[in-house]
Amino acid sequence: MKRPTRPRSHEQLEFVVNSLFFCPSCTIWRTARPLRCGFRRALSTTRRNSAIPTSHTAVNATKSVPARYKPLHEALGEVWKKASAQVNLSRLQLALQGLESETPATRVAVLGLNVQDTARRLVRLLLADALEDEGSWEKHILDSTTAFSHGLVIRYGQPPNPNLPQPRTSTPILYVPSAVLLRNNMEILVSTIRGLGNGELLQGAHTVTADAFLSPSVGTPTAASGRQVTINQPVHSTLLVTNGLDELLAAAELLASTNFVAPEDRKSVQSVVNLEGIKPRAPGQVLIVDATKAEEGLAAIRRSVTEARTYEHKWIDSGLPSLTTWLTSASAARSDEPIPAPVKTLISSVLTNATRNLQAQAALEQRSNAARSINYATKAKLENLIEEFSRNAHQELQSGLSSAWRSRNWRKLAWYKLFWRVDDVGLIITDLVTNAWLPRTERAVYEISGRFSQAGISLMDVSHTDNTSTLPKTEEIVEPSQVLQAQAGIATEPAIEPVVVNRAGKAEIEMAPIPRPVPLSSSISTIRATQIDRAITSLTSTAQQIVLKTLSLTGLSAGLSGLTYVSVAGSMYEAGTIVALGTAFALWRMQTDWLNATKSLETGLHEEGKTLIRRIVGRMRDLVEQGSKIVEDEVEVRTRREAEDAVLRAKEELERLK
């Protein structure tokens, strides 16, 4: 069934009632009701737009960038990402903001030396309208006891209503209805810069950076707790204001101690001195003004228009026109180039500083790596030391083993003494290998380690293990284990790490022990202990088997001789012959087997010793070779190259716009 429509007059009446006649306590109920008018659509659109998340940073700016500036804007964004540690981010953000508009605003800093009094006087004279009465903003800017004592930003606009709550900003803002700001599309930062102290003057070096002028620090309003924070305020140009010859000399010393890396930075800083009673000359490196004379002329024309000639003479004699000319030339609104001159100068300065910082970083890393490397003389001494160590080690290995095999202790293990010495094989082998297998070489490795440490090289080796264990699976614990036992087990287990292996065409993750660096000097004792265990196990088992075989053959021949004697009556000669031959064969085999076993031991110890010496000598030579080379970190090199490429691309895009 069709729903009946309500008359149009009823809807209008309901809207009027709901809009005008309501109780204050029912406001939420009234605003919750749907509105049948265009205001409802406008309200929903406003709420929807306000819910869209926006970013106010320079990199993620949502503002539309002009088409001809987009490549440069993107290139500077890459500089922000790749070379953020080598650039002043606040100045780079100001450069990005300058590319987001066809008519970017220009920021100029007027800095007083230690105090703002003269700087505020000049800013007031530059912005004041001679045909208007004194404005309230002029009183605020000259009053040093106001909230602007730590610095302020001057923008074009009408002063806000003092009866309304004022917005809280990090830096105080003073709105001035000045035609100079409107015509030049300019903002002025008024602050101070600290002069050099006596200690800094004695240093005689570049102790101040250019950011002190082009990105000055401004104190925020003091909070209720008394805490104050300083923030950087980047600008395109800076006017350094001094009062009198003493401050002018202090400003000259400050500029001389400033490290202007980029030539554009020095050109962006202009000095002005307030000298009373001196006639200004043609503009030069330092502008000369007379603020008192300019204030007298401004006061004269404000008293009466008939004193316009007096105002003109005093204004020209004060030198303020040259300051006004500089302020106009610093504006981006007067530029006819493809990219405004202040923005181009700022971008060029940021990229030049980034290039110099990257070069300084590369040079610093190179010097640091060169300092860690050994020189040619030390390398030659270490190589001679390694040659001597190798020669002595091989001589000790040859002579030590030869002496051991001729020693009285080794003769105790003659083949015919095995019947009563078979249980002493382990003790004798341990004594011989410990005292004859590279004992002096082991001590020499400790001595060489000290010589290498003096040269800045650590004789460390990496222990590799081939054993891998699969990932542990969860098992059901039947009986609870004690905490101390669990901790002891964890402490004794080797450190492991997950590795990817490919078995049968299937990738699996297994836990492999992490290679541990161990001193190179401990390799001899470790391998000696391994050789001792291997020799004891092998020779003890061989000696026991040889004795058992000899006794078995002797017993078998004796049994065979007995059977011969019984079968052949009175054949003592034949029976004795069988016993003698069997015993002789058993002893000959016993001698042969034992000599082969001992010869294998001698050869194994000699070859293992030569292999170990070659490995130690090779490791030492590798460490010396690595120590004499300048090795750079691959991650740092790759990061620096990416930053250099980003800066180079930004320079190319900037050149394209010139």
Side-chain angles (χ1 to χ4, degrees):
M1 184 176 64
K2 184 177 180 181
R3 184 176 178 180
T5 58
R6 301 178 63 184
R8 181 76 176 176
S9 58
H10 290 181
E11 293 181 359
Q12 295 179 354
L13 179 61
E14 182 180 358
F15 173 75
V16 172
V17 171
N18 292 333
S19 301
L20 301 178
F21 302 98
F22 62 92
C23 177
S25 61
C26 304
T27 305
I28 299 178
W29 168 84
R30 180 183 64 85
T31 56
R33 293 178 58 87
L35 300 179
R36 298 178 176 87
C37 64
F39 176 73
R40 176 185 178 184
R41 292 190 298 270
L43 181 61
S44 62
T45 304
T46 303
R47 292 177 178 176
R48 183 170 62 252
N49 294 337
S50 63
I52 298 176
T54 59
S55 175
H56 297 282
T57 61
V59 175
N60 300 322
T62 57
K63 297 180 180 180
S64 59
V65 181
R68 66 175 185 273
Y69 294 157
K70 281 186 178 180
L72 180 58
H73 190 275
E74 294 176 357
L76 292 179
E78 289 297 321
V79 173
W80 182 292
K81 296 177 183 177
K82 302 297 179 60
S84 58
Q86 286 76 27
V87 297
N88 187 324
L89 294 181
S90 60
R91 298 192 68 198
L92 181 57
Q93 182 178 2
L94 180 62
L96 287 169
Q97 291 176 353
L99 297 176
E100 294 171 354
S101 173
E102 293 286 353
T103 57
T106 306
R107 302 196 69 183
V108 176
V110 180
L111 304 180
L113 189 63
N114 298 323
V115 293
Q116 304 179 20
D117 297 341
T118 306
R120 294 192 179 199
R121 291 173 62 189
L122 293 183
V123 171
R124 179 240 178 180
L125 292 172
L126 289 174
L127 302 182
D129 190 351
L131 300 180
E132 297 288 342
D133 295 335
E134 183 179 8
S136 59
W137 64 269
E138 299 182 42
K139 299 178 181 179
H140 285 296
I141 199 173
L142 295 178
D143 188 4
S144 60
T145 61
T146 60
F148 304 143
S149 58
H150 298 290
L152 74 154
V153 175
I154 300 177
R155 294 178 180 175
Y156 174 79
Q158 297 295 332
N161 190 348
N163 298 325
L164 298 177
Q166 305 300 322
R168 298 183 60 87
T169 56
S170 57
T171 304
I173 300 177
L174 179 63
Y175 290 95
V176 176
S178 172
V180 177
L181 297 178
L182 179 62
R183 182 173 59 254
N184 295 321
N185 192 15
M186 181 177 292
E187 296 179 1
I188 298 179
L189 171 68
V190 182
S191 184
T192 58
I193 185 171
R194 186 180 64 87
L196 296 178
N198 295 329
E200 295 173 331
L201 290 174
L202 294 176
Q203 291 180 1
H206 290 167
T207 58
V208 183
T209 62
D211 292 339
F213 292 92
L214 299 176
S215 184
S217 300
V218 179
T220 59
T222 306
S225 60
R227 181 180 179 183
Q228 185 180 5
V229 181
T230 58
I231 60 175
N232 293 332
Q233 293 286 349
V235 295
H236 295 90
S237 303
T238 297
L239 183 67
L240 180 59
V241 180
T242 56
N243 186 24
L245 294 178
D246 293 337
E247 289 191 5
L248 179 61
L249 294 177
E253 294 174 347
L254 177 61
L255 291 173
S257 300
T258 303
N259 183 19
F260 290 102
V261 176
E264 300 87 351
D265 294 343
R266 184 62 187 90
K267 295 178 181 178
S268 300
V269 179
Q270 178 64 49
S271 301
V272 60
V273 58
N274 178 34
L275 296 177
E276 297 182 0
I278 297 180
K279 185 177 181 180
R281 54 182 175 82
Q285 294 183 351
V286 179
L287 302 179
I288 301 176
V289 297
D290 188 349
T292 303
K293 187 175 295 185
E295 290 173 347
E296 292 176 355
L298 181 63
I301 194 174
R302 282 182 172 177
R303 285 194 304 268
S304 174
V305 182
T306 57
E307 300 185 19
R309 186 174 296 275
T310 303
Y311 162 74
E312 181 179 0
H313 287 297
K314 289 184 176 293
W315 185 263
I316 295 175
D317 294 341
S318 66
L320 262 297
S322 61
L323 194 58
T324 304
T325 303
W326 176 87
L327 192 68
T328 304
S329 63
S331 172
R334 299 298 179 181
S335 178
D336 298 332
E337 300 179 1
I339 180 173
V343 178
K344 180 176 64 177
T345 303
L346 176 60
I347 296 176
S348 178
S349 170
V350 171
L351 297 180
T352 302
N353 282 277
T355 303
R356 297 290 179 87
N357 292 336
L358 287 171
Q359 294 175 353
Q361 180 186 359
L364 179 62
E365 293 177 358
Q366 186 176 6
R367 289 195 299 268
S368 177
N369 295 328
R372 290 196 299 265
S373 63
I374 60 177
N375 53 27
Y376 180 78
T378 305
K379 179 182 178 181
K381 292 180 181 179
L382 293 179
E383 288 178 349
N384 295 334
L385 187 64
I386 293 173
E387 291 293 339
E388 183 181 0
F389 166 79
S390 177
R391 182 171 57 253
N392 295 336
H394 283 287
Q395 291 178 357
E396 184 195 7
L397 178 64
Q398 185 69 30
S399 61
L401 291 179
S402 299
S403 301
W405 307 140
R406 294 193 305 267
S407 65
R408 181 175 176 273
N409 201 13
W410 178 249
R411 288 197 296 269
K412 293 179 182 179
L413 293 181
W415 65 272
Y416 55 88
K417 296 180 181 181
L418 290 179
F419 294 104
W420 62 90
R421 294 283 188 182
V422 68
D423 294 333
D424 298 336
V425 173
L427 295 176
I428 295 174
I429 291 297
T430 301
D431 181 66
L432 287 176
V433 176
T434 302
N435 297 324
W437 198 75
L438 303 177
R440 294 194 303 272
T441 301
E442 183 178 4
R443 292 191 294 270
V445 175
Y446 283 99
E447 295 175 359
I448 292 178
S449 299
R451 300 286 296 274
F452 272 69
S453 298
Q454 292 178 356
I457 301 176
S458 177
L459 283 182
M460 301 295 291
D461 198 3
V462 180
S463 62
H464 297 277
T465 56
D466 298 332
N467 299 326
T468 58
S469 58
T470 57
L471 288 171
K473 298 181 180 180
T474 57
E475 298 180 357
E476 183 180 357
I477 301 178
V478 180
E479 296 181 0
S481 58
Q482 298 181 1
V483 177
L484 294 179
Q485 293 180 354
Q487 293 178 352
I490 295 174
T492 55
E493 291 179 356
I496 57 178
E497 63 179 354
V499 295
V500 179
V501 296
N502 188 1
R503 293 179 179 176
K506 182 179 180 181
E508 298 179 355
I509 297 179
E510 295 184 353
M511 305 303 292
I514 301 176
R516 297 179 178 178
V518 295
L520 193 61
S521 55
S522 65
S523 58
I524 297 180
S525 59
T526 302
I527 295 180
R528 180 188 294 117
T530 303
Q531 292 297 321
I532 290 175
D533 294 339
R534 186 182 303 170
I536 291 175
T537 303
S538 176
L539 283 186
T540 302
S541 176
T542 302
Q544 293 175 353
Q545 292 177 5
I546 289 174
V547 171
L548 181 59
K549 288 179 181 180
T550 302
L551 294 177
S552 299
L553 288 175
T554 303
L556 181 61
S557 61
L560 183 60
S561 64
L563 291 176
T564 303
Y565 181 79
V566 172
S567 60
V568 182
S571 59
M572 179 64 76
Y573 178 77
E574 291 81 356
T577 301
I578 294 174
V579 172
L581 290 174
T583 303
F585 176 77
L587 293 177
W588 172 81
R589 185 173 180 178
M590 177 181 180
Q591 181 185 12
T592 304
D593 292 345
W594 182 247
L595 291 178
N596 292 336
T598 54
K599 187 64 176 178
S600 177
L601 175 63
E602 295 174 9
T603 305
L605 289 176
H606 190 267
E607 294 298 328
E608 187 66 28
K610 290 196 299 183
T611 303
L612 178 61
I613 292 173
R614 285 196 297 265
R615 188 171 68 85
I616 292 177
V617 171
R619 179 60 177 168
M620 289 180 180
R621 288 174 177 170
D622 291 341
L623 291 176
V624 172
E625 191 66 24
Q626 293 175 5
S628 60
K629 293 181 179 179
I630 299 177
V631 182
E632 296 183 347
D633 190 1
E634 295 181 358
V635 177
E636 293 182 356
V637 172
R638 184 173 64 254
T639 302
R640 188 172 67 250
R641 288 179 179 175
E642 291 178 355
E644 292 174 353
D645 293 341
V647 174
L648 181 59
R649 181 195 168 195
K651 286 185 176 181
E652 293 175 353
E653 295 295 339
L654 182 61
E655 289 292 332
R656 187 180 59 83
L657 290 175
K658 289 184 178 180

